[in-house]
Amino acid sequence: MAGKSRRKRIGILTGGGDCPGLNAVIRGVAKASMRKFDMDVIGFEDGFAGLVERKSVSLTWERVSGILTQGGTILGTTNRANPFNWPVDPENPEKNEDRSDRAVAYFHKLGLDTLVCIGGDGTQTIGHQLSQKGIHVVGVPKTIDNDIMGTDITFGFDSAVTTAAEAIDKIHSTAMSHHRVMVVEVMGRYAGWLALHAGIAGGGDVILIPEIPYEIDAICRLAVDRSKKGKRFSIIVVAEGAHPHGGERVVRRMVKGSPDPVRLGGIGQKVAHDIEEITGIETRVTVLGHLQRGGTPTPFDRVLATRFGVKAAELCYDGVSGVMVALRGTEIMGIPLAEVSGKNRLVAADHPLIETANGVGVCLGV
Ligand code: F6P
């Protein structure tokens, strides 16, 4: 630390939907900042809303102690607060205003050197835009959807896969007892990572992902064949973004003021209805919903979140800006936010997991 005259100050916010591991990252950034780099740490309440509405708290060592295993975020979050498109009247998106100058002014008023933005693709995109306005930004990739460009994995994903796989295990036993088809709808937005991982981990017979539009006849054939062979039940794992070939995604609701207002959900019901109608096999649906976002992070996510947090603190101390921490292989590194901003990482048709699923006879809906 020799040669550094002024003690640095950094700000942290958590944006977008929550997920397990947010507190582990906050703790990692804050503890490393204080202990290793002698920096002060400020937290913003409710994501970018705290920056615009000037709501911040000092993050002391005591405040970030004991939160490693806690789900959610001690800072609060929202997926409706974009400083560049600020909802002045939540009922009327036409009236949205650009409040990014106000956000930048508050950053400077607090004497901050760097803003750490922990969040998904929306948060990283806003972080990138703020860095283009001249403030230092370091991103940390969060989401149960695992759809952020540039990193092999996001924190929160492993915890969501674990929750979903445990649920599928439980559905399995009741499916067997009642000789039913059981459809389990998981989250994941436009990406099939969560369905693919949870489906393989839970021994799903059919896995439907957004990247591979399904044919209902292929699914029905499998259920009937299994029945004929004495396997009188089938487990179907459906990503909320899945859709039939030539058909639309099912939208559950629109959220006014959200950067991406579309909320998916309901495809499980449609798949179940169609299977029962075509095959006559009794079919039930379970929608896992926000269960997948709650609870304590898995040990894998605790370690990943802590590694991301410590690396983010190091990048702040080194004065690096416009980057997001990422896992590449076994290494944590900073990658340009420009490579992440405005993009989604989807399951490629030739991804090895598709081959793995095919290898054990999983039907991917075609
Ligand atoms: O991006 C995380 C996620 O949980 C998606 O999987 C899901 O589509 C969405 O957020 C749900 O958002 P909300 O909490 O607004 O219902």
Side-chain angles (χ1 to χ4, degrees), residues 79 143-145 187-189 240 252 263-264 290 293:
N79 47 19
T143 171
I144 65 163
D145 304 335
M187 283 184 163
R189 241 173 17 148
E240 63 181 0
R252 177 166 44 91
R263 293 294 179 277
L264 299 168
H290 291 82
R293 293 227 307 248

Side-chain angles (χ1 to χ4, degrees), residues 41-43 56-60 63:
V41 187
I42 304 286
S56 59
V57 285
S58 172
L59 289 180
T60 58
R63 187 67 195 91

Side-chain angles (χ1 to χ4, degrees), residues 239-286:
E240 63 181 0
H243 53 96
H245 195 81
E248 297 291 314
R249 293 193 177 96
V250 182
V251 175
R252 177 166 44 91
R253 64 190 291 177
M254 301 296 282
V255 179
K256 284 183 193 159
S258 176
D260 179 359
V262 176
R263 293 294 179 277
L264 299 168
I267 187 65
Q269 198 63 49
K270 175 176 167 50
V271 169
H273 170 271
D274 292 351
I275 292 173
E276 196 166 85
E277 196 167 82
I278 296 169
T279 66
I281 304 173
E282 199 176 11
T283 305
R284 294 284 192 271
V285 194
T286 304

Side-chain angles (χ1 to χ4, degrees), residues 14-36:
T14 52
D18 71 344
C19 80
L22 283 166
N23 285 327
V25 177
I26 295 170
R27 171 183 175 271
V29 175
K31 284 197 166 182
S33 295
M34 291 180 238
R35 208 193 74 79
K36 204 168 168 201

Side-chain angles (χ1 to χ4, degrees), residues 161-176 182 184 197-204 233 235 237 288:
V161 169
T162 302
T163 297
E166 280 171 8
I168 296 166
D169 288 350
K170 289 182 176 160
I171 295 284
H172 236 114
S173 58
T174 172
M176 288 170 82
M182 298 296 266
V184 184
H197 280 253
I200 292 174
F233 71 96
I235 304 291
V237 180
L288 297 185

